[in-house]
Amino acid sequence: MIEKIQKNLMENGYVKVNNVISREILAKVKKLMNKKLISVLKKKNKNPKSKLNDNFYECKKIVSQHEIQVFLAKHLIEKGVYTEILNQKKIKEILINLLGPDLEYVTNSELAINSKAESDEYYVKKYHQEFWSGAGIASLLFWVPFYLKPGMGTVEVIKKSHTWGHIPHSNREPIELPENYLSEKVNIKEGSLVFFTPLTLHITVPNKLKEIRVAAPITVRNFYYPKIGNEDLWEFKKLNFSFFSHFRKILGNPQFSAFRTFNQKRKSIFLKEKIKKKY
């Protein structure tokens, strides 16, 4: 499977991966989002509804959609949901094979929520590369749907556009595109995801249903790779460590001080950590 994924990513600049997130995690995500919206409404002395969709629209009456997307993402990250998703067996295997074992992901991000009535270009984006927004060339961008029904749409991707390099752009869209190119409206369901390179051109597919579509854009990188673009301004959470990184933590400092822990009386907290069998 990994060889096929590597080949598709290299050839087309994106890969769909089906059935990699459990129903239990998705149910937990929806419950956490709804509870957070209810909490916000109660703090504003508003009467919450029972459904996620209704509570989103109630919240939107008192705070901006951007704020909702930010505080929901922050809440899910704090509850460990992103870590749990990226640690799913198939996803973790893909990440380690493509990026290496020393992994981190962006935490100062926001959800992507789309409704039928929303046409603002901030939420319904034109063709763009994440490279324009500061993503480093060595990162991978994941689009993970949390609430997705048939007819809600996903994202559309231009095949092989990652091989075109940094596309000239103005006002957050390409100045020009080749005359002949192939694109695909990604067809995935809840529990699946799509990921692509920072140079892959993609666009928001409008949601045609009344209910909101909710997805999480997640940027993952190897923390030993140099940070380029604006990644030095972003916040990251460590996801996985190689043996070498665990060893560095045990040694305690970059000078590898001689006998630093030799004959120590206290127990090392790092030796208690479960080192993963696969790197």
Side-chain angles (χ1 to χ4, degrees), residues 100-140:
D102 297 289
L103 301 167
E104 62 184 3
Y105 64 90
V106 173
T107 57
N108 56 331
S109 57
E110 61 185 279
L111 295 183
I113 300 177
N114 296 95
S115 62
K116 184 177 181 180
E118 185 59 69
S119 60
D120 190 306
E121 290 180 0
Y122 183 84
Y123 307 109
V124 186
K125 291 180 169 57
K126 303 173 183 177
Y127 272 124
H128 63 285
Q129 297 174 308
E130 294 301 327
F131 188 77
W132 299 351
S133 301
I137 190 66
S139 298
L140 287 176

Side-chain angles (χ1 to χ4, degrees), residues 150-165:
M152 285 185 170
T154 55
V155 292
E156 186 173 344
V157 184
I158 296 182
K159 295 183 177 183
K160 304 183 185 300
S161 56
H162 65 304
T163 63
W164 301 345

Side-chain angles (χ1 to χ4, degrees), residues 198-209:
L199 291 177
T200 304
L201 279 166
H202 58 287
I203 190 173
T204 306
V205 176
N207 178 5
K208 296 181 180 180
L209 302 188

